[in-house]
Structure formats: structure tokens, C-alpha cells
Amino acid sequence: MCGIIGYIGRKEKTLPVLIEGLKALEYRGYDSAGIAYQKNNKINIIKAVGRISNLEEKITPQDSTLGIGHTRWATHGKPSIKNSHPHQAGDITLVHNGIIENYVELKQTLSEKGYQFHTETDTEVAAVFIDYCYQSAKNMISALKKAQKRLKGSYAFGIINHKEPNVIYAMKKESPLVLGKTENELFLASDPLAISSHTKEICYLKEGSIAKLENNKVTLFEEKEITPTWTTLNIEDSKADKNGYEHYMLKEIYEQPKVIENTIKPYLTENGTQNIPDLHKYHKIQIVACGSAYHTGLVGKYIIEKFANIPVEVEIASEYRYKKVFYDKKTLVIVVSQSGETADTLASLRKANQDGIDTLAIVNVITSTIAREAKYILPVKAGTEIAVATTKAYLAQLSMFSLIAFELALKNNLLSEKETEDILYSYQTLPKQIKNLLKNINVKEISEKVYKHNDIFFLGRGIDYSICTEASLKLKEISYIHSEAYAAGELKHGTISLIEENTPVFSLITDKDIYEKTISNIKEVKARGANSIAIITKELDEESDYYDEKIIVPNTHTLLQPILNIIPFQLLSYEIAKLRGCDIDKPKNLAKSVTVE
Ligand code: F6R
């Protein structure tokens, strides 16, 4: 993952721009950070393990007109000062986002030529190799072109050559990289948001591009030298602010009524849907995504098949990109991504695009690569999501799948007038229902009873199971409790042996057609000592002995029910993680945007 930034401009601004940019990029990784800046013809490097704030503490104000910076999500080599970027070799100092896949082979070749290595990283090998190319070419553009031919994998580089003190070079393949400019300044960054408070003039670098930034001028080389295309970034500056909440995650959970309202509004009319591309010509849909976004796909499959009668396959992007895929011109590939930069999802999108298959992106960041490369885009309006664990973007993605299912069901004449009215009414009341649920729900007591356990299970059938997959991920990623989601009927085929006296088992019971079956499965775990906690819709609530505790969720139309169902689990995960003293907004080992495969 990692985030990179670069700046050439005003001497008092360089270090603040780098630090501010790195803070905006911290969602891409927070294992360590570092900057290199130019002063009196010397390159100075400062690094710190952990958060950007640790780096900031080490920095004193300095005049410098040029610098590069990096925030790291460790891939090769543990988080340490030594492995932190910027890396130096000979005349080269660089920062890197990506993975150099053939670094072992390159390292071997370079070692035989007498080069020495001091870190465990793939990036140091890239630095040494670029220096090696430069020492023979004596020209940076030729050296970088030569390096491009040998480096395999993904990269966005910001590079300084000590012999060219006023220049930053950039080079990109597969990892995102943008340039920015004002009258007297030049920028590079992994994400335009890192520089958007300084400039809205942006140039998205194409695959294989090399850029030279100097003297208020950008020279761009693709096959040959080309004129950069500048576009104006159409986003508002959003200052990150917890707004009185203890954590961003909690703030984002409480923003959900508004997020859902903003997301669904542009697509609904008095009688149905609007602004959704014509999708009913497709005979099959493939949904491809990672993590929570993949989990929204599981829900999407269920509701599109149920309401629109179209077969849907859901695929994990890291698998999909390398497997034999069965699609044709009647297939629509839907990719789902909050960040719009997830490497595997992007690669899957490109695979379908290259094969001439129509693609649609459900995406939150509309400036992202996925948003730019998909044939159709359905943006969700979650706003900036800071907490690493997604909540509001997940919910917005669920609502987008409900709109797709609704639109397809309408187009395929599968809904009666009465059911259409019911659905439209449910959409109208949904934001208020979410608000009331958030206001009235209390998960503290249950959280206190379960937070010390090491294993927690989530059971559900059908669409409830799909929600359980997300509930389980949410819990484990922020509380570090091992948990598993199971299709309720499947547990007895092996996993039930893990149920012990008092093991917490959360069950989601909201599907009227099969709830009795789920209850039988809950009784099976209760008979083996489980502490059974039921999350149940109002309609299905009854006095019974199959649960020890329960949380009631209001009813809405089945198409929208999943949107309400996940909310108790978001809050439970949050409370449990808080009781365990975890770093809720930045869980260990994670990053918000996963730009390596
Ligand atoms: C979990 C979470 C991740 C992301 C996944 C895909 O809370 O946020 O599982 O859903 O990394 O990220 P995007 O949606 O940016 O493609």
C-alpha cells in the first residue's frame, strides 16, 4: 500500500506540505514514515516508526524548496527505521508505493556487481538498480526508461538525484500517482486528496509514464515526450474532524442516515428509479471486490437474484484476476470499492475491460482509478471515510445494490404496483429508521459480557449469513477477537466442535421464510453451552428460550432489510474493541487502501 508525496516550491512550505500530505495519506499505511528534503545542496532524511505524528515530533522547521515523503504499510521487511523510506543508493533517493516482484533476482545481479544492501526491502533494490542505470547512462530519463524495462511488479516512485538538486522525477506502473501544480509549485502524490488543499490542477499519470518536475514545469515521457493533460479536481476540501465523537468509526456510524439519504436520492423518483444505466440487457452479473466490499456483493447477489431474477456470481478480486472467467457480451461485471484503488479490484476491472466486457463500478471516491476506468459508474455518497474499518461506505454500497435490484426488477416487470409502492415508501422512511435505531439501541451490556472471549461466532441463513460475514470481519479487524461467520445449517458439519460453555454466538434472524430453520440451529449450539445472542427483526420477535440476550431491529421491506441489520453489529464491534482498549480507527497491520496485491 503506502502513500507517497513530493513537493517543489516555496522554501517555508516544503516540510509542512510533506507532513500535511502524509497525514492525508496515512490511511494507506501507518507502520512508519519518512521524508527527504533538499537543503544547501544536501539531502536530509528523517524517519520514524509508527504514525506520522511520531515523524512530525522529530522535525524542526527548515527552509527547503524540494522534498519527498512516504508513509509505509510494510510488505518486505518489518516496520523499522532501516526499512522505512526514503531509501538511498548512490546518487538516488526515492520513495515507493508498490512491490518490485523481481527484487530477489535483481539483488543477486547487483550484489555480483559489488553493490551492498542494508535493508530487507524490495524498494532498496529499486533504488540501487536505478542508481546503477544512472551511473552508466548519466541521464536520468534514459536511466529510468532502462529501469522500467527490468523492474517487474507495481510502482509509483518519487525520486531525487543528488546531482540534480532542483528536480523530482516520478515514475508509475499500476500504483496510483498524480501530479499537481500552482503558478510556483509542483506536487506529486498517491492520491489527489493529499494535495487538494493546495491545488486543484491535477494530471493523472498514465501507466508507464515518467515525469520530470522542475522550474514550475512538468515534462512527461510516455513512449516519447508528451504534453501533460491537466484537469481540475472537482472536490471540496474536507477537513478531517471527529465532530465530538471519540472515534472516527463512531462518527461514521452515526453519519449513516445522511449517507443513505444522499446515496439513494439521485436514483429514486415518485414511481421508480432514474439515472441508473440500462442494465436489464445483461443475462448474468459478476460482482468482484475485496473484504467488506466483497461482502456487499454477497448481499447484492441475494437481492438481485431474488427480486430481478438474474443470476449473479460473486468473486474475490484477488482470485478472479488470475482465474479462468466465464463471461460474454451479455455479462455485466460490477466492481465494488470504497477507495477505488484496491489493486486486485482494479486488476479485475482491467481484465474485464480488456476482454470487451461491460463494467460498472460502485465506488465512493469518484476521483479514483476504478471510477475513471469503469464503463459505467454508480457513485455512493458516503463522503470521506477515515476509520480503516468501513461502516458508512459499506452501508452505502448495500443501498446501491438495492437500487440495482429494484431497477432490474422494475425493468423486468417483476414487481406489482403495490410492492413498488411499498419499496418506495421503505426507501423514504429508511434514513429515519436508521436514525431511530442508532438512537435507541444499547449494545453496552452485551459487549461487556462477551469482550473477554477469544472466539465469537455469527450464524445466519441466506441473506442473514451474508450480513454475518461482514459482522465477523468488523469484529475481528478492530477487536482482534477471532471470529467466524457460518451459514447456520453448516456449523454442525465440523465447526460446532469449537462451541464450548459460554462461547458467544450471535445469530441474525430476519428472513421470515427460513427463521424457524435458523432457530433450530441456534438450539443446537445452545444445547452445547453457547451464550446465544439473537439479532432479530421486530416482526419475528417472540418470547423464547433459544436466546440468552436479544437485540431488536425494526422491519423494512426485504430489499432494504440488510441495511438495518448490520448496524447492531457495527456498534457491537465498536464497543467490544473499545472495552479491549484497541486502536479502533487504525487497527494494527491494516491500511485503508490496499494498493498492492
Ligand atoms: C474492512 C475494509 C476492507 C475493504 C477492502 C476493500 O473494514 O474496509 O475489507 O472493504 O480492503 O477496499 P475498497 O472498498 O477500498 O476496495
Side-chain angles (χ1 to χ4, degrees), residues 278-305:
D278 182 16
L279 304 179
H280 81 296
K281 60 185 177 202
Y282 300 106
H283 293 181
K284 183 169 90 170
I285 293 175
Q286 289 179 339
I287 301 171
V288 189
C290 302
S292 296
Y294 167 78
H295 294 153
T296 68
L298 298 177
V299 175
K301 171 184 166 69
Y302 194 91
I303 55 179
I304 293 170
E305 287 182 343

PDB file of all heavy atoms in Angstrom, residues 278-305:
ATOM      1  N   ASP A 278     -28.823   1.410 -18.295  1.00  0.00           N
ATOM      2  CA  ASP A 278     -29.722   0.347 -18.720  1.00  0.00           C
ATOM      3  C   ASP A 278     -29.047  -1.012 -18.512  1.00  0.00           C
ATOM      4  O   ASP A 278     -28.198  -1.429 -19.290  1.00  0.00           O
ATOM      5  CB  ASP A 278     -30.056   0.565 -20.202  1.00  0.00           C
ATOM      6  CG  ASP A 278     -31.017  -0.489 -20.689  1.00  0.00           C
ATOM      7  OD1 ASP A 278     -31.622  -1.162 -19.834  1.00  0.00           O
ATOM      8  OD2 ASP A 278     -31.145  -0.637 -21.914  1.00  0.00           O
ATOM      9  N   LEU A 279     -29.433  -1.701 -17.462  1.00  0.00           N
ATOM     10  CA  LEU A 279     -28.723  -2.939 -17.104  1.00  0.00           C
ATOM     11  C   LEU A 279     -29.506  -4.193 -17.448  1.00  0.00           C
ATOM     12  O   LEU A 279     -28.983  -5.296 -17.349  1.00  0.00           O
ATOM     13  CB  LEU A 279     -28.406  -2.946 -15.599  1.00  0.00           C
ATOM     14  CG  LEU A 279     -27.613  -1.749 -15.048  1.00  0.00           C
ATOM     15  CD1 LEU A 279     -27.416  -1.897 -13.546  1.00  0.00           C
ATOM     16  CD2 LEU A 279     -26.263  -1.620 -15.747  1.00  0.00           C
ATOM     17  N   HIS A 280     -30.767  -4.041 -17.845  1.00  0.00           N
ATOM     18  CA  HIS A 280     -31.566  -5.268 -17.978  1.00  0.00           C
ATOM     19  C   HIS A 280     -31.240  -6.053 -19.243  1.00  0.00           C
ATOM     20  O   HIS A 280     -31.730  -7.152 -19.432  1.00  0.00           O
ATOM     21  CB  HIS A 280     -33.055  -4.979 -17.821  1.00  0.00           C
ATOM     22  CG  HIS A 280     -33.718  -4.441 -19.038  1.00  0.00           C
ATOM     23  ND1 HIS A 280     -33.384  -3.237 -19.584  1.00  0.00           N
ATOM     24  CD2 HIS A 280     -34.693  -4.954 -19.798  1.00  0.00           C
ATOM     25  CE1 HIS A 280     -34.141  -3.036 -20.645  1.00  0.00           C
ATOM     26  NE2 HIS A 280     -34.942  -4.058 -20.803  1.00  0.00           N
ATOM     27  N   LYS A 281     -30.352  -5.494 -20.072  1.00  0.00           N
ATOM     28  CA  LYS A 281     -29.928  -6.262 -21.251  1.00  0.00           C
ATOM     29  C   LYS A 281     -28.927  -7.385 -20.886  1.00  0.00           C
ATOM     30  O   LYS A 281     -28.639  -8.245 -21.709  1.00  0.00           O
ATOM     31  CB  LYS A 281     -29.303  -5.329 -22.288  1.00  0.00           C
ATOM     32  CG  LYS A 281     -28.093  -4.574 -21.791  1.00  0.00           C
ATOM     33  CD  LYS A 281     -27.613  -3.583 -22.833  1.00  0.00           C
ATOM     34  CE  LYS A 281     -26.453  -2.775 -22.321  1.00  0.00           C
ATOM     35  NZ  LYS A 281     -26.216  -1.526 -22.948  1.00  0.00           N
ATOM     36  N   TYR A 282     -28.411  -7.346 -19.681  1.00  0.00           N
ATOM     37  CA  TYR A 282     -27.423  -8.363 -19.296  1.00  0.00           C
ATOM     38  C   TYR A 282     -28.118  -9.619 -18.760  1.00  0.00           C
ATOM     39  O   TYR A 282     -29.077  -9.522 -18.005  1.00  0.00           O
ATOM     40  CB  TYR A 282     -26.462  -7.801 -18.245  1.00  0.00           C
ATOM     41  CG  TYR A 282     -25.719  -6.589 -18.761  1.00  0.00           C
ATOM     42  CD1 TYR A 282     -26.045  -5.307 -18.324  1.00  0.00           C
ATOM     43  CD2 TYR A 282     -24.729  -6.732 -19.725  1.00  0.00           C
ATOM     44  CE1 TYR A 282     -25.389  -4.191 -18.827  1.00  0.00           C
ATOM     45  CE2 TYR A 282     -24.070  -5.622 -20.238  1.00  0.00           C
ATOM     46  CZ  TYR A 282     -24.409  -4.358 -19.783  1.00  0.00           C
ATOM     47  OH  TYR A 282     -23.764  -3.270 -20.291  1.00  0.00           O
ATOM     48  N   HIS A 283     -27.579 -10.777 -19.130  1.00  0.00           N
ATOM     49  CA  HIS A 283     -28.183 -12.040 -18.684  1.00  0.00           C
ATOM     50  C   HIS A 283     -27.504 -12.591 -17.441  1.00  0.00           C
ATOM     51  O   HIS A 283     -28.004 -13.496 -16.807  1.00  0.00           O
ATOM     52  CB  HIS A 283     -28.098 -13.086 -19.806  1.00  0.00           C
ATOM     53  CG  HIS A 283     -28.955 -12.739 -20.973  1.00  0.00           C
ATOM     54  ND1 HIS A 283     -29.061 -13.516 -22.081  1.00  0.00           N
ATOM     55  CD2 HIS A 283     -29.764 -11.671 -21.196  1.00  0.00           C
ATOM     56  CE1 HIS A 283     -29.887 -12.957 -22.941  1.00  0.00           C
ATOM     57  NE2 HIS A 283     -30.318 -11.828 -22.429  1.00  0.00           N
ATOM     58  N   LYS A 284     -26.331 -12.054 -17.173  1.00  0.00           N
ATOM     59  CA  LYS A 284     -25.583 -12.549 -15.997  1.00  0.00           C
ATOM     60  C   LYS A 284     -24.785 -11.387 -15.419  1.00  0.00           C
ATOM     61  O   LYS A 284     -24.332 -10.513 -16.174  1.00  0.00           O
ATOM     62  CB  LYS A 284     -24.635 -13.667 -16.438  1.00  0.00           C
ATOM     63  CG  LYS A 284     -23.868 -14.283 -15.280  1.00  0.00           C
ATOM     64  CD  LYS A 284     -23.147 -15.566 -15.686  1.00  0.00           C
ATOM     65  CE  LYS A 284     -21.759 -15.294 -16.195  1.00  0.00           C
ATOM     66  NZ  LYS A 284     -20.948 -16.497 -16.372  1.00  0.00           N
ATOM     67  N   ILE A 285     -24.625 -11.402 -14.107  1.00  0.00           N
ATOM     68  CA  ILE A 285     -23.816 -10.358 -13.451  1.00  0.00           C
ATOM     69  C   ILE A 285     -22.711 -11.044 -12.653  1.00  0.00           C
ATOM     70  O   ILE A 285     -22.955 -12.061 -11.991  1.00  0.00           O
ATOM     71  CB  ILE A 285     -24.700  -9.492 -12.518  1.00  0.00           C
ATOM     72  CG1 ILE A 285     -25.699  -8.668 -13.359  1.00  0.00           C
ATOM     73  CG2 ILE A 285     -23.852  -8.558 -11.652  1.00  0.00           C
ATOM     74  CD1 ILE A 285     -26.691  -7.870 -12.548  1.00  0.00           C
ATOM     75  N   GLN A 286     -21.525 -10.492 -12.741  1.00  0.00           N
ATOM     76  CA  GLN A 286     -20.433 -10.942 -11.859  1.00  0.00           C
ATOM     77  C   GLN A 286     -20.046  -9.758 -10.978  1.00  0.00           C
ATOM     78  O   GLN A 286     -19.768  -8.671 -11.502  1.00  0.00           O
ATOM     79  CB  GLN A 286     -19.225 -11.399 -12.679  1.00  0.00           C
ATOM     80  CG  GLN A 286     -19.503 -12.702 -13.401  1.00  0.00           C
ATOM     81  CD  GLN A 286     -18.353 -13.188 -14.254  1.00  0.00           C
ATOM     82  OE1 GLN A 286     -17.487 -12.419 -14.637  1.00  0.00           O
ATOM     83  NE2 GLN A 286     -18.367 -14.461 -14.569  1.00  0.00           N
ATOM     84  N   ILE A 287     -20.042  -9.985  -9.684  1.00  0.00           N
ATOM     85  CA  ILE A 287     -19.649  -8.916  -8.757  1.00  0.00           C
ATOM     86  C   ILE A 287     -18.257  -9.269  -8.245  1.00  0.00           C
ATOM     87  O   ILE A 287     -18.028 -10.397  -7.778  1.00  0.00           O
ATOM     88  CB  ILE A 287     -20.634  -8.808  -7.574  1.00  0.00           C
ATOM     89  CG1 ILE A 287     -22.055  -8.514  -8.095  1.00  0.00           C
ATOM     90  CG2 ILE A 287     -20.187  -7.722  -6.601  1.00  0.00           C
ATOM     91  CD1 ILE A 287     -23.133  -8.597  -7.025  1.00  0.00           C
ATOM     92  N   VAL A 288     -17.338  -8.313  -8.332  1.00  0.00           N
ATOM     93  CA  VAL A 288     -15.949  -8.594  -7.956  1.00  0.00           C
ATOM     94  C   VAL A 288     -15.476  -7.512  -6.980  1.00  0.00           C
ATOM     95  O   VAL A 288     -15.623  -6.313  -7.256  1.00  0.00           O
ATOM     96  CB  VAL A 288     -15.039  -8.592  -9.206  1.00  0.00           C
ATOM     97  CG1 VAL A 288     -13.653  -9.097  -8.851  1.00  0.00           C
ATOM     98  CG2 VAL A 288     -15.624  -9.450 -10.321  1.00  0.00           C
ATOM     99  N   ALA A 289     -14.923  -7.930  -5.873  1.00  0.00           N
ATOM    100  CA  ALA A 289     -14.473  -6.956  -4.867  1.00  0.00           C
ATOM    101  C   ALA A 289     -13.636  -7.659  -3.802  1.00  0.00           C
ATOM    102  O   ALA A 289     -13.423  -8.873  -3.872  1.00  0.00           O
ATOM    103  CB  ALA A 289     -15.687  -6.286  -4.228  1.00  0.00           C
ATOM    104  N   CYS A 290     -13.168  -6.887  -2.832  1.00  0.00           N
ATOM    105  CA  CYS A 290     -12.372  -7.436  -1.724  1.00  0.00           C
ATOM    106  C   CYS A 290     -13.007  -7.055  -0.375  1.00  0.00           C
ATOM    107  O   CYS A 290     -13.626  -5.992  -0.268  1.00  0.00           O
ATOM    108  CB  CYS A 290     -10.966  -6.835  -1.713  1.00  0.00           C
ATOM    109  SG  CYS A 290     -10.055  -7.094  -3.210  1.00  0.00           S
ATOM    110  N   GLY A 291     -12.771  -7.866   0.620  1.00  0.00           N
ATOM    111  CA  GLY A 291     -13.125  -7.531   2.009  1.00  0.00           C
ATOM    112  C   GLY A 291     -14.598  -7.187   2.168  1.00  0.00           C
ATOM    113  O   GLY A 291     -15.489  -7.885   1.679  1.00  0.00           O
ATOM    114  N   SER A 292     -14.837  -6.081   2.853  1.00  0.00           N
ATOM    115  CA  SER A 292     -16.229  -5.674   3.111  1.00  0.00           C
ATOM    116  C   SER A 292     -16.974  -5.408   1.815  1.00  0.00           C
ATOM    117  O   SER A 292     -18.179  -5.670   1.721  1.00  0.00           O
ATOM    118  CB  SER A 292     -16.242  -4.396   3.959  1.00  0.00           C
ATOM    119  OG  SER A 292     -15.676  -4.652   5.212  1.00  0.00           O
ATOM    120  N   ALA A 293     -16.262  -4.863   0.835  1.00  0.00           N
ATOM    121  CA  ALA A 293     -16.926  -4.587  -0.446  1.00  0.00           C
ATOM    122  C   ALA A 293     -17.391  -5.903  -1.075  1.00  0.00           C
ATOM    123  O   ALA A 293     -18.478  -5.977  -1.652  1.00  0.00           O
ATOM    124  CB  ALA A 293     -15.967  -3.848  -1.373  1.00  0.00           C
ATOM    125  N   TYR A 294     -16.593  -6.950  -0.905  1.00  0.00           N
ATOM    126  CA  TYR A 294     -16.997  -8.289  -1.364  1.00  0.00           C
ATOM    127  C   TYR A 294     -18.260  -8.733  -0.607  1.00  0.00           C
ATOM    128  O   TYR A 294     -19.177  -9.300  -1.192  1.00  0.00           O
ATOM    129  CB  TYR A 294     -15.837  -9.267  -1.142  1.00  0.00           C
ATOM    130  CG  TYR A 294     -16.198 -10.717  -1.279  1.00  0.00           C
ATOM    131  CD1 TYR A 294     -16.354 -11.295  -2.535  1.00  0.00           C
ATOM    132  CD2 TYR A 294     -16.388 -11.510  -0.151  1.00  0.00           C
ATOM    133  CE1 TYR A 294     -16.697 -12.644  -2.662  1.00  0.00           C
ATOM    134  CE2 TYR A 294     -16.737 -12.852  -0.271  1.00  0.00           C
ATOM    135  CZ  TYR A 294     -16.890 -13.412  -1.522  1.00  0.00           C
ATOM    136  OH  TYR A 294     -17.236 -14.734  -1.637  1.00  0.00           O
ATOM    137  N   HIS A 295     -18.284  -8.425   0.680  1.00  0.00           N
ATOM    138  CA  HIS A 295     -19.470  -8.816   1.457  1.00  0.00           C
ATOM    139  C   HIS A 295     -20.731  -8.105   0.975  1.00  0.00           C
ATOM    140  O   HIS A 295     -21.820  -8.662   1.040  1.00  0.00           O
ATOM    141  CB  HIS A 295     -19.245  -8.528   2.950  1.00  0.00           C
ATOM    142  CG  HIS A 295     -18.167  -9.374   3.542  1.00  0.00           C
ATOM    143  ND1 HIS A 295     -17.414  -8.989   4.624  1.00  0.00           N
ATOM    144  CD2 HIS A 295     -17.690 -10.597   3.170  1.00  0.00           C
ATOM    145  CE1 HIS A 295     -16.544  -9.933   4.904  1.00  0.00           C
ATOM    146  NE2 HIS A 295     -16.685 -10.915   4.033  1.00  0.00           N
ATOM    147  N   THR A 296     -20.602  -6.874   0.508  1.00  0.00           N
ATOM    148  CA  THR A 296     -21.805  -6.213  -0.046  1.00  0.00           C
ATOM    149  C   THR A 296     -22.249  -6.958  -1.305  1.00  0.00           C
ATOM    150  O   THR A 296     -23.436  -7.025  -1.600  1.00  0.00           O
ATOM    151  CB  THR A 296     -21.573  -4.725  -0.412  1.00  0.00           C
ATOM    152  OG1 THR A 296     -20.681  -4.633  -1.529  1.00  0.00           O
ATOM    153  CG2 THR A 296     -21.056  -3.922   0.752  1.00  0.00           C
ATOM    154  N   GLY A 297     -21.271  -7.526  -2.018  1.00  0.00           N
ATOM    155  CA  GLY A 297     -21.593  -8.295  -3.220  1.00  0.00           C
ATOM    156  C   GLY A 297     -22.428  -9.535  -2.889  1.00  0.00           C
ATOM    157  O   GLY A 297     -23.317  -9.917  -3.645  1.00  0.00           O
ATOM    158  N   LEU A 298     -22.135 -10.149  -1.726  1.00  0.00           N
ATOM    159  CA  LEU A 298     -22.912 -11.335  -1.330  1.00  0.00           C
ATOM    160  C   LEU A 298     -24.378 -10.954  -1.119  1.00  0.00           C
ATOM    161  O   LEU A 298     -25.296 -11.684  -1.499  1.00  0.00           O
ATOM    162  CB  LEU A 298     -22.341 -11.937  -0.038  1.00  0.00           C
ATOM    163  CG  LEU A 298     -20.901 -12.456  -0.103  1.00  0.00           C
ATOM    164  CD1 LEU A 298     -20.442 -12.947   1.271  1.00  0.00           C
ATOM    165  CD2 LEU A 298     -20.765 -13.582  -1.132  1.00  0.00           C
ATOM    166  N   VAL A 299     -24.565  -9.783  -0.508  1.00  0.00           N
ATOM    167  CA  VAL A 299     -25.937  -9.294  -0.320  1.00  0.00           C
ATOM    168  C   VAL A 299     -26.540  -8.937  -1.683  1.00  0.00           C
ATOM    169  O   VAL A 299     -27.693  -9.268  -1.985  1.00  0.00           O
ATOM    170  CB  VAL A 299     -25.957  -8.063   0.625  1.00  0.00           C
ATOM    171  CG1 VAL A 299     -27.360  -7.482   0.733  1.00  0.00           C
ATOM    172  CG2 VAL A 299     -25.432  -8.445   2.006  1.00  0.00           C
ATOM    173  N   GLY A 300     -25.725  -8.278  -2.529  1.00  0.00           N
ATOM    174  CA  GLY A 300     -26.176  -7.888  -3.869  1.00  0.00           C
ATOM    175  C   GLY A 300     -26.668  -9.094  -4.647  1.00  0.00           C
ATOM    176  O   GLY A 300     -27.722  -9.079  -5.274  1.00  0.00           O
ATOM    177  N   LYS A 301     -25.900 -10.167  -4.586  1.00  0.00           N
ATOM    178  CA  LYS A 301     -26.285 -11.404  -5.297  1.00  0.00           C
ATOM    179  C   LYS A 301     -27.672 -11.863  -4.842  1.00  0.00           C
ATOM    180  O   LYS A 301     -28.541 -12.150  -5.647  1.00  0.00           O
ATOM    181  CB  LYS A 301     -25.241 -12.503  -5.006  1.00  0.00           C
ATOM    182  CG  LYS A 301     -25.615 -13.892  -5.503  1.00  0.00           C
ATOM    183  CD  LYS A 301     -24.553 -14.906  -5.083  1.00  0.00           C
ATOM    184  CE  LYS A 301     -25.022 -16.344  -5.240  1.00  0.00           C
ATOM    185  NZ  LYS A 301     -25.198 -16.777  -6.618  1.00  0.00           N
ATOM    186  N   TYR A 302     -27.803 -11.898  -3.546  1.00  0.00           N
ATOM    187  CA  TYR A 302     -29.043 -12.431  -2.992  1.00  0.00           C
ATOM    188  C   TYR A 302     -30.255 -11.606  -3.457  1.00  0.00           C
ATOM    189  O   TYR A 302     -31.257 -12.147  -3.919  1.00  0.00           O
ATOM    190  CB  TYR A 302     -28.944 -12.420  -1.459  1.00  0.00           C
ATOM    191  CG  TYR A 302     -30.008 -13.241  -0.800  1.00  0.00           C
ATOM    192  CD1 TYR A 302     -29.788 -14.583  -0.505  1.00  0.00           C
ATOM    193  CD2 TYR A 302     -31.248 -12.682  -0.498  1.00  0.00           C
ATOM    194  CE1 TYR A 302     -30.778 -15.348   0.091  1.00  0.00           C
ATOM    195  CE2 TYR A 302     -32.239 -13.442   0.092  1.00  0.00           C
ATOM    196  CZ  TYR A 302     -32.007 -14.766   0.390  1.00  0.00           C
ATOM    197  OH  TYR A 302     -32.991 -15.523   0.968  1.00  0.00           O
ATOM    198  N   ILE A 303     -30.137 -10.280  -3.371  1.00  0.00           N
ATOM    199  CA  ILE A 303     -31.328  -9.474  -3.694  1.00  0.00           C
ATOM    200  C   ILE A 303     -31.544  -9.339  -5.206  1.00  0.00           C
ATOM    201  O   ILE A 303     -32.675  -9.271  -5.660  1.00  0.00           O
ATOM    202  CB  ILE A 303     -31.329  -8.087  -2.980  1.00  0.00           C
ATOM    203  CG1 ILE A 303     -30.056  -7.302  -3.265  1.00  0.00           C
ATOM    204  CG2 ILE A 303     -31.547  -8.239  -1.498  1.00  0.00           C
ATOM    205  CD1 ILE A 303     -30.034  -5.923  -2.597  1.00  0.00           C
ATOM    206  N   ILE A 304     -30.458  -9.334  -5.988  1.00  0.00           N
ATOM    207  CA  ILE A 304     -30.653  -9.247  -7.448  1.00  0.00           C
ATOM    208  C   ILE A 304     -31.293 -10.550  -7.948  1.00  0.00           C
ATOM    209  O   ILE A 304     -32.221 -10.537  -8.751  1.00  0.00           O
ATOM    210  CB  ILE A 304     -29.319  -8.951  -8.178  1.00  0.00           C
ATOM    211  CG1 ILE A 304     -28.834  -7.543  -7.834  1.00  0.00           C
ATOM    212  CG2 ILE A 304     -29.495  -9.073  -9.695  1.00  0.00           C
ATOM    213  CD1 ILE A 304     -27.414  -7.219  -8.288  1.00  0.00           C
ATOM    214  N   GLU A 305     -30.811 -11.670  -7.421  1.00  0.00           N
ATOM    215  CA  GLU A 305     -31.404 -12.948  -7.857  1.00  0.00           C
ATOM    216  C   GLU A 305     -32.857 -13.037  -7.410  1.00  0.00           C
ATOM    217  O   GLU A 305     -33.734 -13.433  -8.169  1.00  0.00           O
ATOM    218  CB  GLU A 305     -30.580 -14.120  -7.306  1.00  0.00           C
ATOM    219  CG  GLU A 305     -29.249 -14.246  -8.032  1.00  0.00           C
ATOM    220  CD  GLU A 305     -28.380 -15.411  -7.570  1.00  0.00           C
ATOM    221  OE1 GLU A 305     -28.629 -15.948  -6.469  1.00  0.00           O
ATOM    222  OE2 GLU A 305     -27.435 -15.771  -8.321  1.00  0.00           O
TER     223      GLU A 305
END
